């Protein structure tokens, strides 16, 4: 897939602003420019951003219904009522359930947790879950990472004498369920200053409020922050604002003293002894936590996350790793089948969105396949499978396009749907698929912007190799943790050459190990370009080329910095136009 390169040259005024900010903070002007691009323009704001403090977490009682939720939980404990912690089967739901259950079980024993079976019960509050709660004598259910649309189910639970506290972050409808309390920063009447918490984050805020109300020291919540970091990374929510504080200190906990279950996952992921990053969570830890719910049942994941014995945790982690290997095989097969369908269907070629249905596809993996197709074709994508006679699936979007609103426009064709801007789950009758496909594609075609139809690489600074100093690298480390709204900075250097030693590497000769020199400073830099061996012949031709890259620490030689090259373009084809970019020759 070809990518456009986008670079906005800083104005003289902004260069001066960056220079002044750099002097105040004792950082490089390049670093100051990166801060300004993130909306951080003053010294106090920069210090808060670069040194996130737990003391700056928002007062949880600013969230609507928080006082009601805490009172109802206190009443339940006081009356010795049976409490159920109920959550979704993905990473966000499982970590949220583990966090709330682990914290409350320190003070209260009449409590259990429940994760619905993806295949038998589907997403959200299920009848089977309610029946189990009634049989167990549950009087209060704390539901995490789902529930905001469970109007009928929660009304039925109320008739059964079961109260609900909803802790969700998905977009609500106009009508809200008849729960005792609804904790959701995306409520239209929300008074909470930060809107982008994940489900685990909402659960953490509930526990923070409960602790505050009951005189429990905040220090007892800190060991649970590793769950927040894992959830924030895996659920791809913004890592600015309050999420930055939770992720920063959650990563610190994950690296220094992780919970037993997460420590076991770290070990079987091959991450022991490394500084774990948000990227490690996204690509190593998160998929393993998800695998149980995708292949079997998410309850096994929560069992692992709340485990206190390391030997038992390792045994469980090995088992979940086996699920992940199964998931990879299924994922690969389904992705190949889906790709063949898209390539075969001429009707899809000019469509602004992709909608695929195969009744034989595994429900637990359709979200991954949708993500892969979105990356490959850069179009909003819906992938559906069949479960109990109903089409169910996942939708994924491209950067900047609100797929939730697009799905909502077809709601009369759907049985259920829910999610947020970039990811939606949905279900519909199989006979409605053709009309849904037509309506969805028509809506996308009239609402998507031209710049949202092509992959864009946003360059944050154009620099020379001489600018890549140890000081800059140390400054850049302070920007972490990275994720949505705070990506790892992409740099561009023009007119670089092979120093003579670059070579193709990898089992299938798919990567390039590079040694490069730039034409301006004659400095030499090492780099790695994953999956870009197609560019090797041009590189070895001694002609100049332009590169986009991130600046990384070499994990094998800690004192060295190397470039992770994201894109390579021949210099004569890679001229950037301010505010608009030309279509470039793709070699990725």
């Amino acid at each position: 897939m070809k990518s456009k390169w986008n670079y906005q040259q800083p104005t003289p005024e902004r260069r001066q602003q960056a220079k002044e900010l750099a002097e105040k903070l004792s950082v490089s002007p390049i670093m100051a420019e990166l801060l300004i691009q993130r909306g951080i323009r003053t010294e106090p704001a920069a210090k808060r951003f670069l040194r996130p403090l737990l003391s700056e977490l928002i007062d949880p009682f600013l969230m609507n219904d928080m006082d009601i939720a805490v009172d109802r939980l206190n009443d339940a404990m006081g009356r010795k009522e049976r409490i159920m912690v109920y959550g979704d089967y993905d990473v966000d739901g499982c970590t949220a359930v583990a966090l709330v259950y682990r914290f409350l079980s320190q003070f209260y024993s009449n409590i259990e947790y429940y994760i619905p079976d993806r295949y038998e019960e589907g997403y959200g509050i299920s009848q089977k879950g309610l029946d189990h709660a009634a049989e167990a004598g549950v009087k209060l259910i704390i539901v995490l990472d789902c529930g905001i649309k469970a109007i009928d189910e929660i009304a039925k639970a109320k008739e059964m004498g079961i109260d609900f506290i909803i802790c969700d972050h998905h977009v609500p409808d106009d009508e809200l369920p008849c729960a005792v309390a609804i904790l959701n920063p995306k409520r239209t009447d929300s008074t909470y200053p930060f809107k982008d918490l994940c489900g685990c984050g909402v659960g953490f805020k509930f526990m923070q409020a409960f602790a505050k109300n009951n005189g429990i020291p905040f220090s007892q919540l800190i060991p649970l922050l590793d769950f927040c970091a894992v959830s924030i990374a895996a659920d791809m929510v913004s890592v600015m604002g309050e999420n930055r504080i939770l992720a920063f200190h959650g990563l610190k906990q994950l690296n220094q003293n992780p919970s037993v279950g997460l420590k076991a996952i770290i070990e079987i992921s091959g991450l022991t002894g490394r500084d774990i990053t948000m990227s490690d969570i996204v690509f190593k830890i998160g998929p393993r936590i998800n695998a149980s719910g995708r292949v079997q049942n998410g309850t096994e994941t929560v069992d692992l996350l709340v485990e206190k014995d390391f030997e038992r945790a390792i045994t469980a982690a090995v088992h979940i790793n086996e699920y992940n290997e199964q998931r990879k095989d299924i994922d690969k097969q389904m992705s190949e089948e889906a790709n063949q369908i898209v390539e075969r269907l001429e009707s899809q070629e000019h469509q602004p969105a992709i909608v695929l249905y195969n009744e034989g596809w595994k429900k637990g993996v359709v979200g991954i396949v949708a993500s892969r197709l979105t990356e490959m074709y850069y179009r909003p994508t819906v992938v559906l499978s069949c479960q109990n006679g109903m089409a169910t699936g996942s939708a994924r979007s491209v950067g900047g396009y609100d797929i939730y609103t697009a799905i909502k426009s077809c709601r009369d064709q759907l049985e259920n749907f829910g999610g947020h801007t970039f990811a939606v789950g949905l279900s519909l009758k199989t006979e409605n698929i053709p009309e849904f496909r037509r309506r969805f594609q028509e809506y996308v075609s009239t609402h998507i912007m031209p710049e949202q139809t092509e992959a864009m690489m946003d360059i944050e600074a154009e620099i020379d190799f001489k600018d890549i100093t140890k000081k800059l690298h140390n400054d850049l480390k302070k920007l972490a943790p990275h994720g949505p709204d705070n990506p790892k900075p992409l740099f561009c250097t023009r007119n670089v050459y092979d120093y003579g030693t670059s070579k193709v590497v990898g089992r299938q000769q798919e990567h390039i190990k590079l040694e490069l020199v730039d034409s301006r400073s004659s400095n030499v830099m090492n780099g790695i370009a994953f999956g870009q061996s197609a560019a090797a012949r041009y590189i070895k031709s001694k002609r100049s080329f332009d590169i986009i890259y991130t600046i990384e620490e070499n994990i094998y030689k800690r004192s060295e910095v190397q470039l992770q090259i994201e894109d390579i373009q021949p210099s004569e084809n890679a001229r950037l136009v301010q505010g608009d970019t030309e279509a470039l020759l793709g070699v990725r």
Side-chain angles (χ1 to χ4, degrees):
M1 179 180 64
K2 295 181 181 180
S3 297
K4 281 192 171 184
W5 292 14
N6 180 49
Y7 177 54
Q8 297 288 338
Q9 191 80 240
T11 63
E13 293 79 13
R14 201 166 80 184
R15 287 186 190 278
Q16 181 60 33
Q17 189 181 15
K19 182 182 176 185
E20 292 171 3
L21 185 61
E23 289 171 356
K24 290 175 183 175
L25 297 173
S26 297
V27 298
S28 70
I30 295 169
M31 176 67 167
E33 169 62 26
L34 298 177
L35 291 170
I36 290 169
Q37 289 187 37
R38 284 155 178 73
I40 301 157
R41 295 179 171 83
T42 65
E43 183 180 2
K47 286 181 176 177
R48 284 196 302 273
F49 180 83
L50 297 173
R51 292 191 287 274
L53 300 174
L54 288 170
S55 59
E56 292 184 354
L57 287 172
I58 300 167
D59 180 355
F61 285 100
L62 291 178
M63 193 176 292
N64 304 56
D65 287 0
M66 186 62 82
D67 52 345
I68 300 170
V70 171
D71 286 346
R72 181 64 186 90
L73 179 55
N74 284 334
D75 288 345
M77 289 181 163
R79 295 198 290 257
K80 306 263 191 275
E81 292 177 351
R82 184 76 173 164
I83 297 172
M84 175 186 281
V85 185
Y86 187 115
D88 190 21
Y89 35 63
D90 68 359
V91 177
D92 194 14
C94 289
T95 53
V97 168
L99 186 151
V100 172
Y101 177 82
R102 271 191 50 186
F103 187 69
L104 292 180
S105 60
Q106 297 175 83
F107 315 104
Y108 191 70
S109 59
N110 196 13
I111 185 170
E112 63 176 289
Y113 54 84
Y114 187 92
I115 303 291
D117 185 286
R118 185 191 292 261
Y119 298 98
E120 286 188 18
E121 300 168 72
Y123 173 79
I125 312 300
S126 71
Q127 185 58 51
K128 182 178 177 182
L130 291 179
D131 291 342
H132 173 81
E135 288 170 13
V138 170
K139 294 299 179 185
L140 175 64
I141 295 178
I142 300 168
V143 60
L144 297 136
D145 193 35
C146 56
I148 196 64
K149 292 193 172 185
I151 293 168
D152 294 340
E153 293 83 356
I154 291 177
K156 191 167 189 177
K158 191 173 183 180
E159 293 175 3
M160 298 164 70
I162 300 171
D163 284 341
F164 265 82
I165 295 171
I166 297 173
C167 302
D168 205 352
H169 71 122
H170 295 101
V171 178
D173 278 337
D174 294 335
E175 182 184 356
L176 296 176
C178 58
V180 171
I182 299 175
L183 309 179
N184 186 333
K186 289 192 178 75
R187 285 173 55 161
T188 55
D189 61 344
S190 176
T191 55
Y192 198 69
F194 185 71
K195 308 300 180 188
D196 294 320
L197 290 170
C198 57
C200 187
V202 178
F204 179 84
K205 298 306 294 187
F206 184 21
M207 294 302 95
Q208 184 188 1
F210 172 79
K212 188 174 183 180
N213 180 263
N214 287 279
I216 300 167
F218 181 83
S219 58
Q220 289 191 234
L221 285 161
I222 290 176
L224 303 172
L225 286 170
D226 51 4
F227 291 135
C228 289
V230 169
S231 182
I232 288 166
D235 219 50
M236 302 298 285
V237 292
S238 171
V239 290
M240 298 293 276
E242 189 165 38
N243 279 346
R244 178 170 174 81
I245 301 172
L246 293 172
F248 180 90
H249 290 278
L251 277 176
K252 188 176 176 182
Q253 186 70 26
L254 195 64
N255 279 292
Q256 294 179 358
N257 189 23
S259 60
V260 170
L262 286 175
K263 185 178 180 182
I265 295 173
I266 288 167
E267 183 158 315
I268 58 106
S269 301
L271 296 172
T272 303
R274 280 181 49 181
D275 283 337
I276 296 167
T277 65
M278 299 290 269
S279 182
D280 291 324
I281 295 171
V282 171
F283 294 107
K284 299 278 189 178
I285 296 172
R288 286 170 169 83
I289 293 176
N290 253 335
S292 179
R294 291 190 189 281
V295 177
Q296 197 64 39
N297 188 291
T299 301
E300 291 184 49
T301 297
V302 181
D303 292 343
L304 169 59
L305 294 177
V306 301
E307 180 58 65
K308 296 177 181 177
D309 181 83
F310 186 65
E311 293 305 316
R312 284 201 296 266
I314 282 289
T315 302
V318 168
H319 192 45
I320 279 175
N321 196 51
E322 291 168 0
Y323 286 144
N324 192 49
E325 292 303 313
Q326 292 177 43
R327 187 272 306 167
K328 283 196 235 178
D329 292 339
I330 297 166
D331 163 18
K332 184 179 178 183
Q333 179 186 338
M334 284 174 53
S335 294
E336 287 174 354
E337 289 175 3
N339 189 36
Q340 288 170 9
I341 292 170
V342 175
E343 290 181 345
R344 195 166 61 241
L345 291 176
E346 291 183 11
S347 61
Q348 292 282 1
E349 187 177 348
H350 302 294
Q351 289 292 348
I354 295 169
V355 180
L356 297 182
Y357 168 69
N358 185 316
E359 64 180 16
W361 283 342
K362 197 167 181 69
K363 178 183 174 184
V365 186
V366 291
I368 298 174
V369 176
S371 294
R372 294 202 193 288
L373 291 175
T374 301
E375 291 170 9
M376 188 176 298
Y377 296 100
Y378 211 74
R379 285 183 265 176
T381 299
V382 180
V383 178
L384 301 164
S385 65
C386 188
Q387 184 72 26
N388 301 323
M390 186 75 68
T392 62
S394 293
R396 296 292 184 270
S397 193
V398 294
Y401 184 71
D402 182 357
I403 201 168
Y404 181 87
T405 302
I407 296 288
K408 188 177 180 181
S409 74
C410 309
R411 66 183 309 161
D412 59 305
Q413 298 295 311
L414 306 176
E415 297 300 303
N416 202 359
F417 75 101
H420 42 78
T421 304
F422 300 121
V424 176
L426 65 157
S427 62
L428 66 159
K429 293 175 181 173
T430 53
E431 58 264 32
N432 288 353
I433 293 173
E435 179 62 13
F436 166 76
R437 178 186 285 116
R438 185 191 70 77
R439 292 255 304 273
F440 176 72
Q441 290 180 332
E442 183 180 295
Y443 184 93
V444 173
S445 69
T446 56
H447 290 82
I448 198 164
M449 303 296 289
E451 61 268 22
Q452 295 171 331
T453 61
E454 294 183 86
M456 189 78 72
M457 302 191 93
D458 293 318
I459 298 163
E460 295 205 45
E462 191 175 301
I463 63 176
D464 298 325
F465 287 171
K466 65 177 171 51
D467 299 316
I468 304 173
T469 62
K470 196 155 219 174
K471 176 172 176 49
L472 176 62
H473 183 236
N474 288 333
D475 285 344
L476 292 177
K477 287 180 182 178
K478 298 171 187 173
L479 288 175
H482 296 291
D485 299 329
N486 181 33
K488 191 170 281 191
L490 281 178
F491 298 97
C492 176
T493 299
R494 310 282 197 91
N495 295 309
V496 302
Y497 297 85
D498 176 26
Y499 193 59
T501 54
S502 298
K503 60 183 178 181
V504 175
V505 296
R507 287 182 183 176
Q508 298 178 327
Q509 302 286 283
E510 67 271 40
H511 315 307
I512 316 174
K513 193 173 187 306
L514 297 148
E515 198 169 13
L516 303 173
V517 60
D518 74 345
S519 56
R520 290 189 190 176
S521 64
S522 298
N523 285 28
V524 179
M525 288 294 305
N526 292 318
I528 182 76
F530 293 112
Q532 298 186 64
S533 58
R537 181 180 295 179
Y538 185 93
I539 290 167
K540 298 302 286 185
S541 72
K542 296 294 184 183
R543 286 178 286 176
S544 72
F545 51 95
D546 299 354
I547 56 173
I548 295 180
Y549 55 90
T550 59
I551 298 172
E552 309 287 348
E553 187 171 72
N554 188 325
I555 60 172
Y556 302 107
K557 298 178 182 177
R558 288 298 179 94
S559 59
E560 288 188 10
V561 171
Q562 71 173 6
L563 311 182
Q564 183 166 311
I565 297 167
E566 302 296 333
D567 206 2
I568 302 168
Q569 303 284 3
S571 292
E572 58 268 26
N573 290 334
R575 301 304 178 198
L576 304 183
V577 180
Q578 183 175 339
D580 191 18
T581 54
E582 302 171 357
L584 304 175
L585 173 64
V587 292
R588 298 181 67 213

